[in-house]
Amino acid sequence: MQTTTGNQKLVKQINKKIVLQTIKDHGPISRADISQQSRLNKGTVSSLVSELMEEHLTYESGIGESKGGRRPVMLLFNEQAGFTIGIDLGVNYILGILTDLQGTIVEKKEVKYFEGAKYKLIMKYLFEVIEYLINTAPDSPYGIVGIGIGVPGIVSKEGHVLLAPNLEWDDIPLKEIVENEFHVPVLIDNEANAGAYGEKHLGAGQNHQNVVYVSAGIGIGVGLILKNELYRGLNGFAGEFGHMKVELNGTKCRCGSHGCWEMYASEHTLLELAKSHDRYVNEELSLEYLVEQADKGDTTAQDLFEHIAKYLGYGISNLINSFNPEQIIIGNRLAVARKWIEKPMTEMIHAHALRFHLKPLQIDFSQLSVYSASLGVSTFAIEKFLNRELQMIE
Ligand SMILES: [Zn+2]
């Protein structure tokens, strides 16, 4: 008897999630069309819709077109029922966004600092950005439903940043720290996983099932979408290709090894190489500055991008040979230099990937621009909130 009751409860929760998802994906939609699409009977749909309306997750909006008979009342997902905060915590910036429950950006805040910034300063900026976004959130029934933070490092399931070599962070219980400060559910994830998820759900990866997302910033991370699912590996540590070896006697990396890909193809390396040029000696070097110079016809800047792009393509050819993906997406900071890196990178890929792996293969840049990771963690936060509300087991 116990089991039957348990099962009935579970079936109801699953049905409710299906109804909400149908409204979220296809609204405005009538009860009859939900019933048809979900194959749930009309009575079940009606009672679940009533519950969702009481919970402020759905509302009725006007009258729809008649398909013969009475004109139906249309239902919409209440994307303003609550808001999430998505943070892309980079090595030299924090980019925060406030989104509604559909993943639309309502407000943003960015702080930039120099590579090598200390933990205390970064945490101060992080709290300031979160506080600003909380204060600008419109009034809503649920308020801030979650904070997601993408970090360039290895993250445990408990939300500890176990290791982030480029931030010099070592076992930081970030989830706990931020939850204690703001009393809102917090999730921490690797920024490349978040970026891959963001692009898959809202950006360039929506039509592909097997996607390799290359997050090229100060370091390099890779997020893998395999058969439509984010592949995390046993403990969530998959995708550390920034430390894939591309040179036997290569440059020492902050991970302790030598010859890692990110020592050759990252924003960090671009800036280091630029520093060694006399012409930039008095400049405050940044990626944006170098793009501007390249656009103005500065051949030194153009050559620097070409150099980085070749290594980027060299590493990507290894990923293509390993995963045989349908699509490669280049995201994060270096994507802003698309004009200067796309051609040499693509040429390297075509020269070094196995020819069987190149057909068909789509090479794209992120569609969400610099927001792939922040929108990715926001999407995680929205999903967690809805699962909590529908009492689904996670
Ligand atoms: Zn390394």
Side-chain angles (χ1 to χ4, degrees):
M1 218 38 208
Q2 195 72 38
T3 327
T4 315
T5 319
N7 280 345
Q8 280 167 348
K9 198 176 164 216
L10 183 64
V11 167
K12 187 188 160 191
Q13 285 161 351
I14 293 169
N15 289 345
K16 197 167 167 184
K17 188 165 189 198
I18 292 170
V19 170
L20 182 64
Q21 199 66 43
T22 310
I23 300 171
K24 193 168 181 280
D25 294 344
H26 304 287
I29 185 168
S30 68
R31 286 170 176 81
D33 285 343
I34 297 170
S35 164
Q36 201 180 35
Q37 283 201 20
S38 62
R39 301 194 175 176
L40 296 169
N41 73 51
K42 284 182 186 174
T44 304
V45 170
S46 268
S47 89
L48 293 175
V49 164
S50 300
E51 282 189 26
L52 290 166
M53 283 173 62
E54 272 169 37
E55 290 158 11
H56 305 284
L57 292 172
T58 301
Y59 65 99
E60 290 179 337
S61 87
I63 307 289
E65 294 282 315
S66 167
K67 290 178 183 168
R70 218 151 40 102
R71 292 169 73 195
V73 177
M74 303 305 273
L75 294 159
L76 277 169
F77 173 57
N78 184 10
E79 71 248 10
Q80 305 266 323
F83 293 85
T84 74
I85 290 174
I87 303 280
D88 175 4
L89 194 160
V91 178
N92 52 352
Y93 67 92
I94 288 172
L95 175 59
I97 56 172
L98 180 75
T99 78
D100 67 18
L101 298 181
Q102 232 13 325
T104 304
I105 299 175
V106 188
E107 183 65 51
K108 50 194 143 186
K109 176 88 178 159
E110 183 170 24
V111 181
K112 289 191 175 176
Y113 39 87
F114 283 102
E115 202 184 329
K118 294 284 172 249
Y119 169 78
K120 254 186 148 172
L121 181 71
I122 294 178
M123 290 306 284
K124 178 177 156 302
Y125 287 145
L126 175 66
F127 284 5
E128 280 173 14
V129 168
I130 293 174
E131 196 146 339
Y132 171 84
L133 294 169
I134 288 176
N135 291 336
T136 52
D139 284 339
S140 63
Y142 290 95
I144 302 292
V145 301
I147 300 173
I149 306 177
V151 294
I154 297 170
V155 179
S156 75
K157 286 175 181 156
E158 294 73 36
H160 286 229
V161 181
L162 298 177
L163 181 70
N166 295 329
L167 289 169
E168 294 176 19
W169 285 15
D170 191 0
D171 203 4
I172 305 283
L174 190 59
K175 175 181 157 73
E176 211 176 300
I177 294 169
V178 181
E179 275 182 351
N180 287 341
E181 183 72 17
F182 295 102
H183 311 288
V184 169
V186 172
L187 66 93
I188 314 291
D189 211 316
N190 172 272
E191 62 83 26
N193 284 346
Y197 206 69
E199 288 294 332
K200 169 69 192 153
H201 284 268
L202 303 165
Q206 290 178 67
N207 299 322
H208 298 280
Q209 298 187 6
N210 298 288
V211 181
V212 172
Y213 172 82
V214 179
S215 167
I218 289 290
I220 296 180
V222 170
L224 298 166
I225 304 284
L226 303 177
K227 292 185 180 167
N228 277 328
E229 300 275 339
L230 182 63
Y231 179 76
R232 294 174 177 280
L234 178 63
N235 291 313
F237 304 161
E240 285 298 325
F241 289 98
H243 304 285
M244 162 171 72
K245 314 308 168 204
V246 295
E247 295 276 8
L248 178 61
N249 296 308
T251 315
K252 192 167 194 315
C253 175
R254 281 183 276 199
C255 75
S257 184
H258 291 261
C260 298
W261 188 26
E262 71 176 34
M263 298 314 293
Y264 296 88
S266 61
E267 182 185 358
H268 169 80
T269 305
L270 176 82
L271 297 175
E272 285 300 308
L273 291 172
K275 268 184 208 164
S276 64
H277 281 272
D278 288 347
R279 62 182 304 147
Y280 302 130
V281 83
N282 294 319
E283 300 296 339
E284 274 205 358
L285 280 173
S286 68
L287 173 64
E288 289 75 10
Y289 171 81
L290 290 169
V291 171
E292 204 181 293
Q293 291 308 110
D295 286 348
K296 280 183 189 165
D298 173 353
T299 51
T300 311
Q302 292 171 2
D303 290 348
L304 287 172
F305 282 119
E306 188 181 334
H307 179 87
I308 295 294
K310 281 183 174 169
Y311 273 102
L312 206 51
Y314 195 54
I316 289 171
S317 66
N318 287 325
L319 299 177
I320 292 168
N321 292 348
S322 305
F323 292 103
N324 181 209
E326 296 163 58
Q327 186 189 32
I328 298 281
I329 302 175
I330 315 298
N332 202 346
R333 301 255 308 144
L334 279 181
V336 305
R338 175 177 187 169
K339 184 177 169 193
W340 300 107
I341 61 178
E342 187 168 19
K343 190 164 172 275
M345 179 191 81
T346 310
E347 281 169 7
M348 277 307 265
I349 290 172
H350 284 269
H352 294 282
L354 291 165
R355 67 189 157 89
F356 303 102
H357 293 56
L358 290 169
K359 278 188 253 171
L361 173 74
Q362 183 90 17
I363 301 170
D364 289 312
F365 281 71
S366 63
Q367 225 173 57
L368 306 174
S369 134
V370 293
Y371 301 106
S372 317
S374 52
L375 278 170
V377 282
S378 280
T379 308
F380 289 141
I382 293 166
E383 284 171 2
K384 277 189 181 284
F385 161 70
L386 293 177
N387 283 344
R388 273 199 312 276
E389 281 312 301
L390 302 176
Q391 296 171 317
M392 299 288 291
I393 304 134
E394 293 211 358

